[in-house]
Amino acid sequence: MNRIILIGNGFDLAHGLRTSYEDFFFWCLKQYGYSLLHESSKEVSDGLCSLKIKDDVKVHSWASVYQGWYFKRENPFIPWNEYDAFFNAFEDKNLCDFSFTSQLFKMIWNRIQLGWVDIENEYFSLLTEEKMSFDKGFVKPNYKELNSQLDILREKLIQYLKCESEKETPVIENISNIIYRPIRKREISVAYKKSLGENAIEDITPCATMFLNFNYTKTPEKYLSDSSEVLVNYIHGHLENPESVIFGYGDELDSDFKKLQNMNDNECMRHIKSIRYMEADSYRKMQEFIESDTFQVIILGHSCGLSDRTLLNTLFEHKNCVSIKPYYYVNKEGKDNHLDIIQNISRNFTDMKLMRDRVVNKTFCEPFVNYKESQE
């Protein structure tokens, strides 16, 4: 029996990397402010937004407000929703003119104000949105323009993650233990145990392990061991090869996906993950791995959201999958996200009876990291 370890953004966060979309967005805003402070131009425009210092405003006036916002945002004891909005901080003082030039960027900003955002989900919602026009009826989105906006965000994200991934990160003992511990008899699906006979199943040391890394960083490589067969599959590409980075949406089960397929326009499919998987061999390596033997899936820091539904459905409902074990996060109030993960896992199944048989119940699950450990 083998093991697949799903690695999501929570894995990097647990190692002290600030890789959330909120942190990335804040970095984007810092870049705008930095450019206005240090470049000769008093205007920034990059296809996402336009920010211009008014002609009669002195640089030191802008700098004072910018630095005040910046240091307030860097204070870890102030939650995001209590910050002054970046753009309003300057518009209220009549220092600059601002406008969104990207509908996608504007939607992301609005979502962040509510406390949570997933860029790929926002992209797909705009990709499938149709608007009513009085003279033209229902109007399709401008796919080329929307893809151009996502390309800009993708380039910025790669630049940000390259800087962030240079930080030294620890090896977390509990994660090491999780990766190399046996697959417990109690974690294996009832149907599989019945097919072999209850007494034929014992705790099993995996023959081979694959990190299925949905991140673009190399953090999982800290846990490779020369004494066992463990490999890392960068399913969405990696930072050392920016061209390999897949950034888009992957839910073929969504009814709106069928509409996109029926469009006679390749542009609307350009950032669909299942299409982009064909540009490298990472997906095929995963296929070969899951076809080679029965396997357990364990989840470390992956939300199992809809933006990866196509791939996750392939894994979770595969005939060789006999166990799905989610490890969860515990926050500073002592609350965990186990239920959220289970709800998301369920959306990746078409057979709920199968889901209930394969997913390990909370009694036999545990945190892979808690708030205290992630802050150290």
Side-chain angles (χ1 to χ4, degrees), residues 218-240:
K218 298 172 66 175
T219 315
E221 294 191 12
K222 290 180 170 291
Y223 296 92
L224 298 183
S225 171
D226 295 333
S227 61
S228 60
E229 189 178 342
V230 181
L231 56 95
V232 180
N233 184 340
Y234 293 90
I235 191 67
H236 286 163
H238 52 86
L239 298 175
E240 293 181 358

Side-chain angles (χ1 to χ4, degrees), residues 188-197 322 353-354 357-358:
I188 298 172
S189 73
V190 173
Y192 183 67
K193 285 189 286 190
K194 183 178 179 181
S195 70
L196 296 182
V322 298
K353 181 180 178 181
L354 192 64
D357 185 36
R358 291 183 175 179

Side-chain angles (χ1 to χ4, degrees), residues 149-338:
Q149 295 168 16
L150 190 70
D151 286 336
I152 294 170
L153 279 169
R154 175 180 174 274
E155 292 173 7
K156 287 179 177 289
L157 180 62
I158 291 170
Q159 183 183 354
Y160 172 67
L161 291 177
K162 280 184 175 180
C163 297
E164 195 66 20
S165 64
E166 292 176 357
K167 295 179 178 178
E168 288 293 326
T169 55
V171 172
I172 299 175
E173 183 178 359
N174 190 48
I175 291 179
S176 293
N177 295 336
I178 289 170
I179 292 168
Y180 292 103
R181 70 177 45 158
I183 299 170
R184 306 298 186 190
K185 176 181 178 179
R186 66 195 185 196
E187 298 168 0
I188 298 172
S189 73
V190 173
Y192 183 67
K193 285 189 286 190
K194 183 178 179 181
S195 70
L196 296 182
E198 182 73 20
N199 296 329
I201 298 291
E202 300 295 339
D203 291 354
I204 301 167
T205 299
C207 298
T209 298
M210 173 181 282
F211 285 100
L212 199 59
N213 188 13
F214 288 75
N215 301 333
Y216 311 115
T217 61
K218 298 172 66 175
T219 315
E221 294 191 12
K222 290 180 170 291
Y223 296 92
L224 298 183
S225 171
D226 295 333
S227 61
S228 60
E229 189 178 342
V230 181
L231 56 95
V232 180
N233 184 340
Y234 293 90
I235 191 67
H236 286 163
H238 52 86
L239 298 175
E240 293 181 358
N241 179 14
E243 291 301 314
S244 71
V245 170
I246 295 174
F247 191 53
Y249 198 78
D251 181 8
E252 294 175 0
L253 300 179
D254 191 293
S255 58
D256 285 329
F257 178 80
K258 303 300 181 184
K259 296 178 183 178
L260 294 180
Q261 280 187 312
N262 293 330
M263 295 284 184
N264 188 25
D265 189 341
N266 286 342
E267 191 67 27
C268 69
M269 303 287 285
R270 183 151 68 88
H271 287 301
I272 298 299
K273 289 177 179 177
S274 54
I275 304 296
R276 299 299 302 274
Y277 288 145
M278 299 300 99
E279 296 183 331
D281 65 349
S282 298
Y283 190 89
R284 185 167 292 275
K285 287 178 179 178
M286 181 201 76
Q287 286 181 303
E288 292 172 348
F289 189 85
I290 64 178
E291 291 290 345
S292 67
D293 199 353
T294 53
F295 62 90
Q296 179 190 53
V297 176
I298 67 173
I299 300 167
L300 297 180
H302 197 298
S303 67
C304 297
L306 293 178
S307 62
D308 292 311
R309 190 178 183 187
T310 299
L311 187 150
L312 296 180
N313 174 261
T314 299
L315 285 178
F316 294 166
E317 293 195 341
H318 194 278
K319 66 182 189 302
N320 283 340
C321 179
V322 298
S323 173
I324 301 169
K325 185 174 183 179
Y327 288 83
Y328 51 88
Y329 174 77
V330 179
N331 66 20
K332 60 183 177 181
E333 286 84 24
K335 296 181 180 180
D336 64 65
N337 66 340
H338 177 267

Side-chain angles (χ1 to χ4, degrees), residues 31-60:
Q31 301 308 300
Y32 296 142
Y34 186 87
S35 296
L36 290 172
L37 283 176
H38 297 280
E39 303 293 338
S40 57
S41 174
K42 298 180 73 175
E43 181 176 7
V44 173
S45 183
D46 61 358
L48 300 178
C49 70
S50 175
L51 191 61
K52 182 180 180 181
I53 301 175
K54 294 189 174 183
D55 293 337
D56 59 344
V57 173
K58 302 297 182 182
V59 173
H60 73 269

